[in-house]
Amino acid sequence: MAKKIIVLPGDGIGHEIMGSAIEVLKRIAEKYGHQFEFEQHDIGGSSYEKHGEPLTDNTVDACLDADAILLGAIGGPKWDNIPTHLRPEQGLLKIRKALNLFANIRPIKGFAPLLHASPLKESVINGSDIYVVRELTGGLYFGEPSERREDGNVVVDTLLYHRHEIERIVEKGFESAQLRNKHLTSVDKANVLESSRLWREVVEEKKANYPDVTVEHMLVDSAAMKLITNPTQFDVIVTENLFGDILSDEGSVLTGSIGMLPSASLSETIGLYEPVHGSAPDIAGQGIANPLGMILSAAMMLRYSLDLNEEAVAIEKAVEKSLEAGYYTSDLNIENGKQVGTKEMTEIVIGNI
Ligand code: IPM
Ligand code: MN
């Protein structure tokens, strides 16, 4: 199978971990007889440095023409003081919008060898397996106006959703639940927000179409608490953009490190795959970043965009085997393991494929 993959390393550790994903995919191509063509483009701060903007039309056009997209990470303190519309994060938000990547899938499943690396009790997190379906192209991130008024002393951000935007992500939540343990938790703040009340209405309307799925509404504050006190009660969580952003970082605690978490951002036609973590400027260039979130994102790409499930499983199993053998990167709090850097971890995973 010949496929064109756009790679967007971005900033900070993005470059190091993207190298890992590409090496792993090359091994998969060799083993299973596929041809993957990688084409690199700029995004984020590194795009701003080269082109004066965090996302160019050139990058967008390349992505529109690809079979799938891999993204490393964006951002860094270097760009803290540039105008808001040029910040690296804007590159990420713009590409999500330009490609209509409305569904952000963030599976939160701990690997057994890492259960003790979580600050939470093993007895609490054991067996947890959560699938967050986060709305990604609406809500507070994109609502207009978003501005300062009265000499900067009054601010407004707008939480805007159209019914159809809620419908399509809620449907994604139900469909995901059907493929898993058939339980959907819809997270909102319907006791306060009008947007959440429409969200609840839509969930109530849609549930008749998915009679095999049990649905529960949960307020976001309560969900934040239950996520770490009783995570096994969750199967699929569907929620709006900002709530999903916050809950998925919180959920990463269940897996030992945010460096482990992969994600998929999907439109009806294309997928962009990136680790949930950021660009970690404090450790960039040191060769110690955890490449596993990126490598597992590449596995998600194989599964969702290229329909190569067996190959995706091969990567996930190889990661698990590497962890079982005691290898870990410095972000993980492991006792009695063998600490390795980005390159070594990548080689160990490749050796296990
Ligand atoms: C994420 C990130 C982004 C977000 C930032 C960098 C804009 O935190 O992908 O979760 O908030 O969506
Ligand atoms: Mn985030």
Side-chain angles (χ1 to χ4, degrees), residues 20-300:
S20 302
I22 291 174
E23 290 310 314
V24 167
L25 288 169
K26 283 183 175 162
R27 170 73 187 115
I28 289 288
E30 174 193 60
K31 177 160 179 185
Y32 293 88
H34 304 307
Q35 273 112 42
F36 297 142
E37 183 199 333
F38 300 98
E39 193 181 294
Q40 187 173 322
H41 287 269
D42 301 313
I43 194 167
S46 53
S47 173
Y48 170 74
E49 296 298 327
K50 268 204 220 166
H51 314 288
E53 48 181 331
L55 181 69
T56 61
D57 291 346
N58 185 29
T59 294
V60 174
D61 290 343
C63 290
L64 285 169
D65 189 41
D67 290 300
I69 305 149
L70 285 176
L71 189 144
I74 54 103
K78 190 173 172 191
W79 304 287
D80 272 351
N81 296 314
I82 64 173
T84 310
H85 70 284
L86 296 175
R87 285 181 63 99
E89 292 79 9
Q90 291 300 319
L92 186 56
L93 299 183
K94 272 176 77 179
I95 199 152
R96 287 174 179 168
K97 201 70 172 173
L99 303 179
N100 199 17
L101 305 171
F102 69 89
N104 185 216
I105 310 294
R106 295 183 161 183
I108 302 175
K109 185 172 181 199
F111 287 91
L114 296 186
L115 284 184
H116 70 281
S118 171
L120 301 173
K121 289 197 189 95
E122 243 183 282
S123 59
V124 171
I125 56 180
N126 205 358
S128 65
D129 180 354
I130 305 171
Y131 195 86
V132 177
V133 178
R134 168 191 175 194
E135 202 290 324
L136 201 60
T137 50
L140 275 168
Y141 279 62
F142 293 95
E144 294 288 347
S146 169
E147 63 191 23
R148 283 178 179 247
R149 294 174 186 166
E150 298 178 29
D151 292 332
N153 295 314
V154 173
V155 288
V156 50
D157 284 306
T158 303
L159 204 180
L160 181 90
Y161 270 113
H162 294 272
R163 172 179 272 274
H164 77 93
E165 294 175 303
I166 301 176
E167 284 178 350
R168 64 185 177 179
I169 195 72
V170 164
E171 281 163 7
K172 194 78 171 180
F174 274 109
E175 287 160 12
S176 305
Q178 276 187 323
L179 296 172
R180 292 174 43 101
N181 291 323
K182 303 186 170 43
H183 185 67
L184 181 67
T185 306
S186 171
V187 172
D188 63 35
K189 187 73 184 171
N191 51 348
V192 177
L193 299 176
E194 204 50 51
S195 55
S196 285
R197 288 192 273 271
L198 177 58
W199 185 281
R200 255 186 210 215
E201 267 170 52
V202 170
V203 172
E204 283 300 306
E205 277 168 33
K206 294 277 166 201
K207 75 178 187 193
N209 302 337
Y210 307 88
D212 51 336
V213 176
T214 55
V215 192
E216 176 185 17
H217 298 282
M218 199 179 281
L219 296 174
V220 64
D221 45 356
S222 171
M225 188 254 295
K226 288 177 179 155
L227 196 53
I228 49 174
T229 51
N230 187 11
T232 53
Q233 73 179 268
F234 296 101
D235 175 23
V236 176
I237 292 176
V238 68
T239 191
E240 66 87 52
N241 203 343
L242 183 63
F243 296 161
D245 179 46
I246 298 168
L247 292 179
S248 56
D249 264 42
E250 189 195 2
S252 75
V253 176
L254 304 171
T255 69
S257 166
I258 195 166
M260 295 299 302
L261 284 200
S263 84
S265 303
L266 309 172
S267 75
E268 303 291 354
T269 52
I270 198 159
L272 178 149
Y273 301 82
E274 59 172 318
V276 172
H277 64 72
S279 61
D282 51 324
I283 60 160
Q286 294 178 28
I288 60 169
N290 184 348
L292 296 178
M294 184 78 239
I295 290 172
L296 292 167
S297 299
M300 286 185 88

Side-chain angles (χ1 to χ4, degrees), residues 330-344:
S330 61
D331 53 312
L332 286 157
N333 175 25
I334 304 270
E335 291 151 31
N336 311 321
K338 289 164 261 186
Q339 188 172 326
V340 292
T342 312
K343 280 215 167 94
E344 280 169 285

